[in-house]
Amino acid sequence: MRKRWVILIMLLLFIVEGTIMPWLIPIDWIGRIVPQFTFIFVLYAALYAGRHTALLLGISFGLLQDLVFYGHLIGVHSFAMGLCGYLVGLLLAFKRIPMLTVLSIIGMACLLYDSVIYGIYRVFRITQDAYVVALMNHIMPSLFLQLAFALAFYIPVRRWFSGYSQKKQLDDAV
Amino acid sequence: MMRNKRLFILLIGLILFIAVMGFSLSDRKDLTWPEKFLNDTVGYVQQWFYKPAGYIAGLFEDIRSMRELHEENERLRMTVASYARDKIRYNALEQKNAELQEKLNFTEEQKNRNNYTYMIAQVVSVSPDAYNKTMKINLGSRHGVKENMAVVTEHGLIGLISSVSPFTSNVMPITELDGQSANAKWISATVEGNEEASFGIIESYNIENGQLLMTKIAEEDPLKEGDVVVTSGKGEVFPVGIVIGTVTSEQVGDFGLTRTAFIDPAAQFDKLSEVLVVKVPDAEGDAE
């Protein structure tokens, strides 16, 4: 039940990323601040619903983005989102961690995600920029947007996932 | 054992992903039907969001630019007057041209070569990815859009159609051009007012200074700073005479045989709401 709502919200966020955000970002920062809201939700899913849910959500929403905005490659976001979601879930799922730690984990996962994407594009020669250029150009600026989004959604997300994680914990205990 | 199984699945997944990426990188002619279906459905939903957001953003922009309105009005009035003058001249020249074509026995195809159709398309969404700024527009193969058609705004060229679904298509902005990539696209260009003497190829975009790189300019080419670069249409797919930008600097190329030039793009690539897809009459015949 809860899960269905989460998927619906993620679909909505995916739409917002591509349609409303381009109008909200100041013109000088377009291309430098890149919204990745669905990915934040994948990370929350990894923390509060387990690594397999995160893997599945990451692969499917990443694939959605790859197919809808097919430019160079299919599978980049799918791979990166799935991988990051799974790793975070593997290390930290269902642990009781305070908010600041959660935010710093999300920040690090965002860095990893952007780096993986940069790495794939670099390997396939879509970009020739050095990593430092990419870091200063868009990875760091987008990190702040992602953190702000994660902070804004921290409390509602806890509520949406809470039923799920309690049930899961009970299952684990049994 | 459990660890091994997990590692095994991870490796299989990795190989699968690399295979998919490699496949999608190749020069694909057409999308598969699930992709088309997904593109059209998502595009349909996205257009409910993009346009209203644009209206609201435009409203604030309008209030801000209210003060400059009078000035702009004055300037536009001047332009209209000069257009009216040119129009009379143009009509006479066109008539003369048609007459001469008739005398020289031009075929229908040759006569129609420059009769471009401009299709108005709404932008539906913009990709949230730093390395892939693909735009979606709400025209597709049902409306006659084909791959590699030029997409322009009133200021100049902004991109080309990269993939087509029945009701939507993806636009690759010219800021994504890259001569070094596996299936690179080039745009042949020339200088406005000097179409016969100048020629070069728009090859890539430099993200650091925000300029396009034009290469393979001959040594004796009269191209200089401040020239307006337009498409030459030598590739037959592209229309002739669409403004790309102005030359800001030029130097001798890597091997000293040809020259290269930096071009400041004329069009704005961000916050677009309407674009025009240019349909070249010839391209239709070629595609069959």
Side-chain angles (χ1 to χ4, degrees):
Chain A
M1 184 61 208
R2 296 263 181 196
K3 213 168 172 183
R4 222 176 295 160
W5 279 109
V6 169
I7 289 175
L8 209 70
I9 290 163
M10 283 176 76
L11 275 175
L12 194 72
L13 283 175
F14 173 71
I15 304 276
V16 166
E17 250 173 36
T19 55
I20 297 178
M21 286 317 285
W23 292 104
L24 291 183
I25 296 167
I27 202 145
D28 299 330
W29 289 92
I30 284 185
R32 298 193 62 190
I33 297 182
V34 185
Q36 297 288 357
F37 300 153
T38 45
F39 178 60
I40 303 295
F41 261 66
V42 169
L43 291 178
Y44 275 129
L47 290 174
Y48 301 124
R51 57 177 195 270
H52 292 116
T53 318
L55 182 69
L56 215 64
L57 282 177
I59 286 181
S60 31
F61 275 93
L63 198 63
L64 182 69
Q65 185 177 343
D66 282 329
L67 291 180
V68 168
F69 298 110
Y70 177 35
H72 308 290
L73 291 174
I74 289 177
V76 184
H77 290 91
S78 186
F79 177 73
M81 268 194 209
L83 183 77
C84 294
Y86 186 80
L87 280 183
V88 169
L90 193 67
L91 296 175
L92 297 153
F94 306 123
K95 299 240 168 71
R96 295 195 159 272
I97 21 183
M99 191 182 85
L100 275 179
T101 324
V102 169
L103 283 184
S104 50
I105 289 162
I106 286 178
M108 276 187 272
C110 282
L111 285 181
L112 178 68
Y113 174 72
D114 279 329
S115 309
V116 168
I117 287 179
Y118 165 81
I120 295 172
Y121 279 135
R122 184 73 199 255
V123 165
F124 282 97
R125 299 174 63 98
I126 306 292
T127 176
Q128 262 90 39
D129 300 341
Y131 182 66
V132 185
V133 174
L135 200 69
M136 294 323 286
N137 183 52
H138 65 269
I139 297 180
M140 292 317 273
S142 348
L143 179 66
F144 289 104
L145 177 70
Q146 255 66 274
L147 283 179
F149 177 82
L151 186 65
F153 272 74
Y154 180 73
I155 292 164
V157 159
R158 287 294 295 266
R159 215 176 42 238
W160 290 328
F161 279 111
S162 67
Y164 192 84
S165 73
Q166 269 156 24
K167 199 171 133 269
K168 185 89 182 178
Q169 270 168 356
L170 276 179
D171 288 351
D172 286 353
V174 170
Chain B
M1 191 59 209
M2 188 63 203
R3 289 257 158 212
N4 276 343
K5 202 172 140 203
R6 192 185 289 162
L7 196 69
F8 185 69
I9 292 173
L10 199 77
L11 282 178
I12 293 284
L14 191 69
I15 291 167
L16 206 72
F17 267 113
I18 291 174
V20 168
M21 283 176 208
F23 170 70
S24 63
L25 188 67
S26 64
D27 197 11
R28 293 172 69 199
K29 281 279 167 287
D30 214 357
L31 298 177
T32 54
W33 71 263
E35 287 174 83
K36 285 182 182 173
F37 175 74
L38 193 73
N39 274 327
D40 286 347
T41 346
V42 174
Y44 186 70
V45 179
Q46 280 173 333
Q47 70 185 7
W48 301 336
F49 289 82
Y50 192 85
K51 228 179 142 183
Y55 273 136
I56 295 165
L59 200 68
F60 286 111
E61 202 68 23
D62 284 348
I63 292 168
R64 215 174 300 157
S65 63
M66 204 89 90
R67 232 164 283 155
E68 295 149 29
L69 219 57
H70 181 72
E71 212 172 292
E72 194 183 351
N73 195 7
E74 205 82 327
R75 205 173 57 236
L76 287 178
R77 215 174 280 167
M78 296 272 283
T79 331
V80 166
S82 77
Y83 272 135
R85 251 192 333 268
D86 284 351
K87 174 85 177 160
I88 297 166
R89 221 170 89 88
Y90 172 79
N91 280 348
L93 283 174
E94 198 186 23
Q95 224 161 29
K96 186 80 188 161
N97 196 12
E99 227 168 81
L100 289 174
Q101 283 183 351
E102 204 67 51
K103 271 188 192 155
L104 288 168
N105 295 325
F106 269 43
T107 61
E108 270 317 298
E109 191 199 317
Q110 283 169 323
K111 275 183 204 163
N112 282 331
R113 187 163 282 170
N114 290 336
N115 271 346
Y116 303 138
T117 332
Y118 290 85
M119 296 181 281
I120 298 178
Q122 307 285 343
V123 177
V124 159
S125 59
V126 183
S127 167
D129 182 346
Y131 291 111
N132 171 21
K133 298 194 190 72
T134 302
M135 269 181 278
K136 251 183 144 48
I137 57 171
N138 70 345
L139 290 185
S141 55
R142 288 288 174 85
H143 309 98
V145 175
K146 294 209 175 69
E147 217 174 299
N148 287 333
M149 279 184 175
V151 181
V152 302
T153 61
E154 65 272 29
H155 300 295
L157 183 72
I158 57 162
L160 26 120
I161 302 282
S162 62
S163 62
V164 187
S165 304
F167 298 101
T168 57
S169 35
N170 287 3
V171 178
M172 182 186 89
I174 47 175
T175 53
E176 296 274 303
L177 284 176
D178 184 6
Q180 323 253 279
S181 80
N183 45 353
K185 288 180 174 160
W186 293 287
I187 300 169
S188 53
T190 179
V191 169
E192 189 183 45
N194 214 345
E195 279 88 351
E196 294 308 313
S198 284
F199 181 78
I201 287 170
I202 306 285
E203 201 183 82
S204 56
Y205 178 78
N206 190 326
I207 201 162
E208 275 153 58
N209 59 11
Q211 290 183 335
L212 293 157
L213 185 68
M214 181 167 163
T215 58
K216 312 225 167 29
I217 306 165
E219 215 162 341
E220 66 279 3
D221 203 301
L223 178 133
K224 61 183 183 304
E225 266 182 53
D227 277 353
V228 176
V229 173
V230 296
T231 54
S232 77
K234 290 255 160 66
E236 297 284 308
V237 207
F238 252 62
V240 180
I242 286 176
V243 177
I244 298 171
T246 42
V247 178
T248 52
S249 68
E250 51 125 3
Q251 75 250 20
V252 178
D254 289 342
F255 301 109
L257 297 172
T258 55
R259 294 186 298 159
T260 59
F262 275 117
I263 290 154
D264 195 23
Q268 177 76 254
F269 299 98
D270 306 310
K271 309 207 179 193
L272 295 168
S273 54
E274 265 166 6
V275 294
L276 300 164
V277 182
V278 190
K279 201 164 154 189
V280 180
D282 248 3
E284 283 170 62
D286 287 345
E288 301 314 320

